[in-house]
Amino acid sequence: MELIVSSAIGLMTAAAVYLILQQRTFPIVVGLTLLSYAINIFLFSSGRLVIDKPPIIGGADAYTDPLPQALVLTAIVISFGMTALIVVLALRGFLETATDTADLPEDDFPDETETGT
Amino acid sequence: MTAPHIATSWIIAPAILPAITAAIMILVRRRDIEMQRVLSVASTVALLGIALFLYQAVSDGETDAYRLGAWPAPYGIVLVIDRLSTTMLVLTAGLALAVLLYAIAGWDRRGRHFHALFHFQLLGLNGAFLTGDLFNLFVFFEVMLIASYGLMLHGGGAKRLRAGFQYVAINLIASSLFLIAVGLIYGVTGTLNFADLAVKARAVAANDQALLQTGALLLLLVFAIKAAFVPLHWWLPATYAAASAPIAALFAIMTKVGAYAIIRVFGTVFGDGAGAETLGAVAAPWVVPAALVTLAVGTAGLLGARRLLDLAAFNTIASMGTILIAIGLFSVDGLTAALYYLVHSTIAGAALFLIVDLIAARRPNKLDALVPCNPISQAPVLGALFFLVAIAVVGLPPLSGFIGKLMVLDATYDAPRAWLIWTTILVASLMMTIAFARAGSTIFWKTDGQTTGPGWETASKTPMVVVAFLVGASLMLAVFAGPAVKALHATAGQALDTQNYVNAVLGPQENTEPERPITEPADEATTVPVPADTQVEEH
């Protein structure tokens, strides 16, 4: 069990790092998603791996640590929102610039004519 | 437990007020920009008032905690105020008010929901300063960042979208690292509450020390990304230069959140002998060298800047370098200097972004590029303001930057390798002076042709008043440096006093707290609703 969990975390993280290092937005988004999966499983394991026990203190003789579950729940919600945002951002960027590279164009002068006041 | 304090129930107000304001603005006042502005300013003024009230309430050195749902400290969520957090609250609210008044002159019309996002940003910032546990620090960081993504993209444009993607991606990676650090620290100590962590980290078994140190260093890495430490600063120039001016000015406080988190976690929580002799000191060897390189790189960026906005962005990096040099000493004197410089550089950095925007608005062809151009309208006033802001930023007398740098130099007098620190700071100051002198003379003196930009009649006066106000704040900080330094000295002393923090949050204790899980209340005043008779059927 420990081997399965840890190798799953390791493999997903490795794949995520590889994808994030690409220069295109879609692989980066997928990489970030994989990374957040890996980290959610990692957070679970921070409360020790326990099988078939409820995450409730006082309800049974043995229990699994409830706090990591609460943390993972929060982390899932946050990463879900973030993924939605970055997908929209990548799409908007692609539609406006017709390219999906993640780097910034090289120019010394601002291409926008807007200013304040 | 500390005696009931008048301010206790007000502690949560700086987090709740912006949340309610933002919600009202999204739900009710969506279409009515005038109404939004009134509400926005009123709410920010109220926030400043509350922040000042809280600052006053803890100015006697008391640390006060608010327990959400009356759950006792290590098990429920706590918000904690002490001098350090209230100082940051006052600074945030004051800066927010200035930025808001500037934005109202026109920037807030460029996209929808500016005011709502602005208040969500304040919610995240205030929450990060108030929170008393590591996971809520993560949550409030995320709140702050989500709002900042929206604000950074405010106004749209292809370039801003591209820079925004990088900014979001880097912060998502940083958030992932944060969660790994949280997991490691929780796995080893079984708690995330700052005060509890300070106690438990000392009692960690020897073979778990390495894990805990890894977690602590990962945390440092995360805060370093937020604070734009070299080599993790690459996101900052593109982001800040792409963001609209008032937003970039507000972001001046965002890098400081990283500095605040380093002080809180590595000064208060892990400091003072936590984790035997190792954990408190685990950050120290990294901070000062990285800070020196940060200052050097920021200064090099200043010299290489070909746009005023780059100048302002790299100035942020350079000032973070100076702050972190002083923080890295983890001494009361160092922290006092760091806090003074932090307050100064937030004000001056924001003023710089705003004055750059005012100049760019008057150069329709060249915007903020550092090239000769037509003379700009209102050049005398703008030139004087730019000159004053540059003086403040570079650290020449008589504005607050000079005293700040002097304090940092003074604090590092006895530090190891003081000669290196002094050389870096002094040479960097000289280089910064050159960079700003070059920028100012190009823009205001190498001019030719017709005056461009709006005349006195059409131009809005508010933005200039705001910049003048920020310059005035820098001047006041220099004039009243005595009382300010005295207050910040007490703040620094309190921030490094782990025991005081632990006692205030957990109540006076003799390190006999029970292991988790807990079924008995640790606090005499509150009862814990333990789900004792919840029956769970095994299957």
Side-chain angles (χ1 to χ4, degrees), chain A residues 63 65 82 103 114-115, chain B residues 110 142 160 162 186 516-517:
Chain A
Y63 60 91
D65 196 340
M82 291 296 188
D103 53 346
E114 60 171 350
T115 48
Chain B
R110 294 190 178 253
E142 293 304 306
R160 199 165 283 161
R162 299 280 284 278
Y186 181 76
R516 73 189 159 116

Side-chain angles (χ1 to χ4, degrees), chain A residues 9-83:
Chain A
I9 296 172
L11 275 177
M12 276 201 283
T13 310
V17 169
Y18 175 77
L19 286 171
I20 288 170
L21 292 178
Q22 307 299 306
Q23 277 207 335
R24 300 188 165 267
T25 52
F26 184 68
I28 293 176
V29 172
V30 177
L32 287 170
T33 315
L34 272 183
L35 191 61
S36 78
Y37 288 159
I39 281 158
N40 288 339
I41 299 177
F42 176 78
L43 272 184
F44 261 120
S45 66
S46 73
R48 307 292 181 271
L49 295 171
V50 182
I51 298 179
D52 208 18
K53 294 283 180 289
I56 298 168
I57 297 173
D61 303 340
Y63 60 91
T64 173
D65 196 340
L67 195 91
Q69 310 219 352
L71 300 189
V72 169
L73 191 62
T74 316
I76 288 174
V77 173
I78 289 176
S79 75
F80 182 75
M82 291 296 188
T83 309

Side-chain angles (χ1 to χ4, degrees), chain B residues 204-224:
Chain B
V204 163
N207 54 349
D208 281 343
Q209 283 283 350
L211 269 181
L212 191 58
Q213 287 186 22
T214 313
L217 278 179
L218 269 177
L219 267 188
L220 182 67
L221 196 65
V222 175
F223 299 151

Side-chain angles (χ1 to χ4, degrees), chain B residues 109-419:
Chain B
R109 280 185 186 279
R110 294 190 178 253
R112 286 194 296 167
H113 301 313
F114 172 86
H115 291 284
L117 285 169
F118 186 84
H119 284 278
F120 277 128
Q121 169 99 71
L122 291 184
L123 160 67
L125 286 165
N126 289 343
F129 295 138
L130 288 174
T131 185
D133 72 278
L134 206 50
F135 193 73
N136 279 294
L137 185 64
F138 167 75
V139 172
F140 280 118
F141 264 28
E142 293 304 306
V143 172
M144 175 182 92
L145 288 170
I146 294 171
S148 80
Y149 302 153
L151 285 173
M152 200 238 137
L153 296 168
H154 176 78
K159 185 165 184 175
R160 199 165 283 161
L161 273 170
R162 299 280 284 278
F165 182 86
Q166 292 187 354
Y167 176 58
V168 175
I170 287 173
N171 276 299
L172 285 185
I173 296 167
S175 304
S176 308
L177 289 176
F178 201 156
L179 279 177
I180 296 177
V182 166
L184 279 174
I185 290 174
Y186 181 76
V188 174
T189 62
T191 184
L192 290 174
N193 181 285
F194 283 162
D196 205 23
L197 204 54
V199 176
K200 294 241 172 78
R202 293 176 207 189
V204 163
N207 54 349
D208 281 343
Q209 283 283 350
L211 269 181
L212 191 58
Q213 287 186 22
T214 313
L217 278 179
L218 269 177
L219 267 188
L220 182 67
L221 196 65
V222 175
F223 299 151
I225 294 176
K226 302 276 180 264
F229 246 32
V230 166
L232 306 166
H233 71 286
W234 297 111
W235 59 272
L236 191 141
T239 305
Y240 280 39
S244 55
I247 300 309
L250 183 66
F251 283 7
I253 194 86
M254 294 243 307
T255 41
K256 274 66 177 185
V257 178
Y260 167 82
I262 290 175
I263 298 175
R264 179 60 85 210
V265 171
F266 292 95
T268 311
V269 178
F270 291 153
D272 207 15
E277 74 282 352
T278 43
L279 199 55
V282 76
W286 300 94
V287 176
V288 172
L292 286 172
V293 182
T294 308
L295 179 57
V297 168
T299 311
L302 276 173
L303 283 178
R306 279 183 285 173
R307 293 174 56 193
L308 276 176
L309 270 176
D310 290 342
L311 211 62
F314 278 104
N315 166 63
T316 310
I317 294 177
S319 68
M320 282 314 292
T322 314
I323 294 172
L324 290 162
I325 288 171
I327 289 180
L329 304 174
F330 288 107
S331 66
V332 174
D333 282 342
L335 212 49
T336 309
L339 288 173
Y340 187 91
Y341 203 81
L342 189 151
V343 174
H344 146 76
S345 71
T346 308
I347 295 170
L352 184 59
F353 274 108
L354 297 182
I355 189 84
V356 165
D357 183 55
L358 284 179
I359 294 170
R362 282 158 181 76
R363 306 172 85 209
N365 306 321
K366 300 286 192 280
L367 292 179
D368 62 331
L370 282 180
V371 288
C373 180
N374 297 342
I376 62 174
S377 60
Q378 295 126 41
V381 177
L382 280 180
L385 282 177
F386 182 82
F387 181 60
L388 286 171
V389 171
I391 281 180
V393 163
V394 168
L396 293 172
L399 295 181
S400 53
F402 175 67
I403 297 173
K405 281 211 169 142
L406 209 57
M407 283 174 66
V408 173
L409 289 177
D410 194 41
T412 53
Y413 190 73
D414 294 324
R417 284 190 295 281
W419 58 272

